[in-house]
Amino acid sequence: MSYRDIKQVVLDRIHNKIWAPDSLLPSEIDLAAEFSSTRTTVNRALRELAEEGYLERKRKAGTRVLNAPVRKAQFAIPLIRDEISETGADYRYALVERAAMPAPGWLSARMNIAQGCEVLYLRCMHYAGNAPFQYETRWIVPDSIPEVLEADFSCSGPNDWLVQKVPFTNLELSFLATKADQPVAEFLDTQVGEPIFTTERITWLRSKPVTLAKLFFAPGYRMTTHL
């Protein structure tokens, strides 16, 4: 059986109370024998169920069914061009600014890089047809990915390039409301001080900081996730 098959069987047994809340599951060795699989495959299935909030795993204590499973929202971050295309509008991109500069103090602190370290700064606009959709400011650390200095972002955005070139290993994602300053207001065609839905993403490749992006969405934007 594949790990997905094992995962589904375990989940069915939890839902059907075959394995009741607070009960211990059989050992990985016993489950591997039952499912004619490997212990590694069983481990992956149980690990994912633990990450999804159904199981609790403790070294030497075994795997236990949680009494009150923790439901976790599954959130996907789509490419902006795909998000716009799904609305039925044509995607359009524009590079507003590109500059290499010393990292400002606040960025050094957020990304744990040396103050004054050179970073690539980009400002970009993403449109749904002729309507502004997202204004993006982004800092990329060339020390982590030197080839970024040769990348051409005049026709496509930095996120497209990063997705292809750098598989991030860690991500910090924040959602917040900000007040539109003059550049944000101008690019999103709104008033200065208008509340703007904003996301901030920091990604790392293992221990190396890669990029920090601030994404400002036009008024009326909605983000939905499901439990």
Side-chain angles (χ1 to χ4, degrees):
M1 296 178 70
S2 71
Y3 85 91
R4 291 188 179 87
D5 294 330
I6 295 171
K7 182 178 174 182
Q8 188 59 56
V9 171
V10 173
L11 194 57
D12 288 344
R13 291 180 182 179
I14 292 172
H15 286 157
N16 294 328
K17 300 296 189 296
I18 295 172
W19 288 331
D22 289 328
S23 65
L24 280 172
L25 268 63
S27 70
E28 289 182 4
I29 294 174
D30 290 341
L31 289 173
E34 177 186 352
F35 298 132
S36 301
S37 186
T38 66
R39 185 173 176 179
T40 300
T41 303
V42 170
N43 180 277
R44 181 175 180 182
L46 299 184
R47 185 177 70 248
E48 287 196 3
L49 286 170
E51 290 171 353
E52 292 169 13
Y54 292 99
L55 301 174
E56 179 183 57
R57 310 190 74 201
K58 291 185 178 180
R59 187 176 177 82
K60 296 183 179 180
T63 300
R64 183 182 300 275
V65 179
L66 283 175
N67 185 47
V70 179
R71 298 297 303 277
K72 296 184 179 181
Q74 302 298 307
F75 178 74
I77 304 173
L79 292 174
I80 188 67
R81 65 170 63 250
D82 294 339
E83 191 173 3
I84 290 173
S85 295
E86 287 175 3
T87 69
D90 293 328
Y91 170 73
R92 186 164 62 87
Y93 162 83
L95 177 63
V96 177
E97 181 183 1
R98 174 183 178 141
M101 62 176 65
W106 69 266
L107 183 65
S108 298
R110 288 295 309 277
M111 301 191 73
N112 195 26
I113 58 177
Q115 191 161 356
C117 173
E118 184 182 73
V119 292
L120 181 64
Y121 175 63
L122 300 163
R123 291 196 297 149
C124 314
M125 268 302 296
H126 306 271
Y127 297 90
N130 293 322
F133 189 88
Q134 183 193 90
Y135 172 67
E136 171 184 356
T137 61
R138 184 182 291 269
W139 292 261
I140 304 175
V141 183
D143 281 356
S144 299
I145 38 171
E147 59 268 37
V148 73
L149 295 175
E150 306 300 323
D152 180 10
F153 297 119
S154 59
C155 296
S156 62
N159 194 58
D160 291 356
W161 185 88
L162 287 165
V163 166
Q164 294 178 4
K165 297 288 185 179
V166 186
F168 69 85
T169 55
N170 301 89
L171 178 145
E172 176 186 309
L173 179 62
S174 302
F175 304 97
L176 60 156
T178 59
K179 292 184 178 180
D181 59 13
Q182 190 65 42
V184 170
E186 289 179 1
F187 281 107
L188 295 183
D189 192 23
T190 189
Q191 300 296 316
V192 172
E194 181 77 12
I196 297 294
F197 181 82
T198 306
T199 66
E200 183 176 284
R201 298 204 305 259
I202 306 176
T203 58
W204 291 266
L205 179 59
R206 292 178 287 278
S207 61
K208 294 181 178 180
V210 175
T211 184
L212 184 151
K214 290 187 176 181
L215 312 174
F216 305 88
F217 293 85
Y221 178 79
R222 173 178 294 195
M223 179 175 289
T224 303
T225 189
H226 300 277
L227 286 172

